[in-house]
Amino acid sequence: MGWRKLSGADHSVVEVEGCLEQADCAAFSAFLAGAAAEAAAAGEELEIDLSGLQEISSHGLRALASAQRQWRRIVLTCPEGRVREILTISRMDSVFRIQAPSIAFIGPAKPSPRAADEAEGARGS
């Protein structure tokens, strides 16, 4: 589990990776509270990039909801697979704005594990 904050021209991005489980949620919630407070003080939007998140517990959902209560200008980007399903089942997808990432924060493409396997298979042939 890991997270970090990046700042841009008119908003900040929190990138989240791994599995957000109960043991990590107190620290994650405190981190998000700080990021939301900084965004609020600067009048910026806070983007939470979930593209690297594979699993989220109810405690993780609670951390997101708490940040949303603190600063309403939060957008979740790129929830995929199980995380997207959990957001839908919990109806958190109706609480947050969910969208694709901001172009300014898209870095170099990371090959998916499947693409790496296929490339390895092509080399081995």
Side-chain angles (χ1 to χ4, degrees):
M1 178 69 229
W3 52 82
R4 67 182 179 151
K5 182 177 174 257
L6 308 168
S7 295
D10 62 350
H11 70 285
S12 297
V13 176
V14 170
E15 293 180 337
V16 187
E17 296 180 339
C19 296
L20 187 52
E21 299 183 3
Q22 182 178 358
D24 304 309
C25 287
F28 179 65
S29 187
F31 177 82
L32 271 186
E38 289 174 17
E44 297 177 341
E45 182 172 79
L46 180 61
E47 178 180 319
I48 303 175
D49 179 355
L50 301 178
S51 62
L53 190 63
Q54 291 123 17
E55 189 72 40
I56 187 168
S57 70
S58 61
H59 297 278
L61 292 174
R62 203 168 310 138
L64 292 175
S66 178
Q68 175 73 2
R69 282 190 300 275
Q70 182 180 352
W71 182 238
R72 298 246 177 241
R73 292 181 55 196
I74 292 179
V75 59
L76 303 180
T77 58
C78 299
E80 299 173 356
R82 182 85 174 126
V83 173
R84 179 65 177 218
E85 182 181 350
I86 291 169
L87 288 171
T88 301
I89 290 169
S90 66
R91 298 190 178 243
M92 293 293 280
D93 62 343
S94 64
V95 173
F96 288 94
R97 208 172 77 221
I98 298 176
Q99 65 185 34
S102 301
I103 299 301
F105 286 93
I106 295 178
K110 296 182 213 172
S112 70
R114 183 175 177 182
D117 290 344
E118 289 171 357
E120 183 64 32
R123 282 192 291 260
S125 301

